Structures are given as structure tokens and as C-alpha cells.
Amino acid sequence: MTQKPPHKVALVGLGKIAKDQHVPSITKSAAFEVGAIVSRSATGQDVPVYETLDAMLTGEPDIKVVSLCVPPQVRFDMARQALSHKRDVLLEKPPGASVAEVHALERLARENGCVLYATWHSRHAMGVAGAKAWLASRKPVSARITWREDVRHWHPGQAWIWEAGGLGVFDPGINALSIMTEILPAPVHVSSADLTFPENRDTPIAAAIRFSGADGLTVDADFDWRQTGTQTWEIEVVTDQGTILLSGGGATVTIEGKEVSSDEALASEYDGIYAHFADLLASRTSDVDLTPLVHVADAFMLGKRLQTEAFFD
């Protein structure tokens, strides 16, 4: 059987996440290759580089796939433009700056016969599928999420994360929520939240959230961007038949104190994204799960605003 040629991808935005994750995963994939880049600063590339998405859409009619790696505040207009040109679109997480705008994109994709994929890279961490299977036959009683990291290390000089729509500490925190909503066998909802804002920023630097579910299930989430030294990305679920711990951002699984699998954080997560995207393109099916973003929106709606000292990079 003759193998289909790879999909050419227009990579929009060539910042840290695109260079560190998207480009390597596309390069390794037999289903994709970078066909063009949209960036105002990219130089020395082996493919055509365009300063604007409009120029790329006009200049590259044979590129049918667009991967948007730009900040969420500007992603909607670009996604709408690409879908209006009947291009299939991959959205980096979070899929948008609001829930409503992603619903609008979903409608537009459906009207134009396009594939729209709202990605959650942490769901592809090596331990997530096994944890989901283990929990499927058990009843969760309580859960604890601890997601603490150093914003200066992971987002140096990225002003957009502190601006309205940039999510602040929820930019990494939503990764934890994407895992939680994938592995828990029943849904939960936000019941209360405390959001801590630096006095000079529009988005929170820390958040404490309580989730509630059926049969008295509670989940407590602790997000903080001020941790130095060892970073903490953990989800612990206590069930009627034991306790499971995902650490390293979902890479390592420990059951009843015994480590059953281990990997490195982010290892193969974007490989998983592009493998799933290839399947969606083959079946002409969209995947737009907004549950993690809904939890963030609810935390902002229900959250008490607390103020802390100014934060500077």
C-alpha cells in the first residue's frame, strides 16, 4: 500500500513552545512536515516564512493544516481566518481566551467542513491512560492537586501571561485540570476559589480551588507560580480501593506507595498530540473538549480576589 504524503503544516508563532515541542514532534512524525512558518522574527529557516497569516494563506494554497502557537489573546482571529479559508486548525492550550470564542470556532469549523483540534498536551503524559484505567473501576473519595512551579524559569519575559486573557497561574494549572478531567470517572465542578493577584498584574500568581462531585467527592487544587528549586506537579486520588499518585506532570504513576511507571515530564506529549491530530484529519473529525477551560472560567467567576505584593521578572 502506498503511504500517503505527509500533511504540510503552517506553524504560526515560533516562540519557546513551538521550538521546544511542536517542531521536534512534527519532525519525528511520518504524518506531518513543516511547510511554512508565520513569524515576524524567524530567520534562517528551510521553509517559507511569512510575516502575517493572511500572506501565508494567500501564498500557500496547498497547505491545508495550520498549527496556532500564539498567545490565546490573539488566537481567535487567526483561527477564524484560517477556518474561513477552509484550513484545518490545531489550537495550542488553552484553546482560547474565553469559552464563547472557542464555541464560535467550533461552529465555523463545522460549517466549513474543517477539522478543529483543541489540544491538551498533558493528557498525553505517559501515566495518564493507565491512571484513567485504574480509576475506572474504583470510587474516588477525595483528590489533591499540587501544581507549583517557578514562572521566571518557565515563562521568562512573557508579558502576555500577566495580561487579561493570559490566565496567569492557570496557564500551567490548566494542564493539571486537563489530566483531572481525563482520569476521574465522574465530573466535578468548582465550588469555591481564592485567587491571589500581584498588585501590578491582571492575572493571578496563585490559586486555591475546591471542586465538588457526586457522593461527597472533593478535589482541592493548589496552584502557585512562586516555587523555586524542585518543581511540583502532582495529582493524588484517594479511592475506596487504594490511592494513586501522578507526579512529574502525569509522567510517573505510584499506586499504594509503589511506583509502577516512570517517565520524564513533557516526554512524548506533543508526539501524542500530533498522532491524534493525524487520526482526526484521517476521519475528518474535530476534538474540542472545553471542560478544563470551563473550570478556569468558573474559578474566575466564583473566586475571591486576594492581593499580594507586586511581581517583577
Side-chain angles (χ1 to χ4, degrees), residues 238-286:
V238 179
T239 78
D240 60 342
Q241 300 177 54
T243 299
I244 187 170
L245 172 67
L246 283 80
S247 54
T252 298
V253 176
T254 303
I255 297 176
E256 289 297 284
K258 181 180 179 181
E259 188 175 289
V260 297
S261 67
S262 182
D263 199 20
E264 295 181 6
L266 282 178
S268 303
E269 290 183 9
Y270 281 79
D271 294 358
I273 281 178
Y274 279 96
H276 184 50
F277 194 28
D279 291 341
L280 295 175
L281 293 173
S283 64
R284 302 306 301 165
T285 305
S286 292

Side-chain angles (χ1 to χ4, degrees), residues 188-205:
V188 295
H189 63 272
V190 176
S191 52
S192 65
D194 289 335
L195 310 181
T196 301
F197 290 74
E199 62 183 14
N200 62 333
R201 303 293 185 175
D202 295 327
T203 56
I205 197 168

Side-chain angles (χ1 to χ4, degrees), residues 120-125 128-129 177-179 181-182 269 289 291-292:
W120 302 107
H121 66 79
S122 290
R123 287 181 174 175
H124 295 277
V128 171
L177 300 181
S178 73
I179 296 175
T181 53
E182 179 71 9
E269 290 183 9
D289 177 15
T291 312

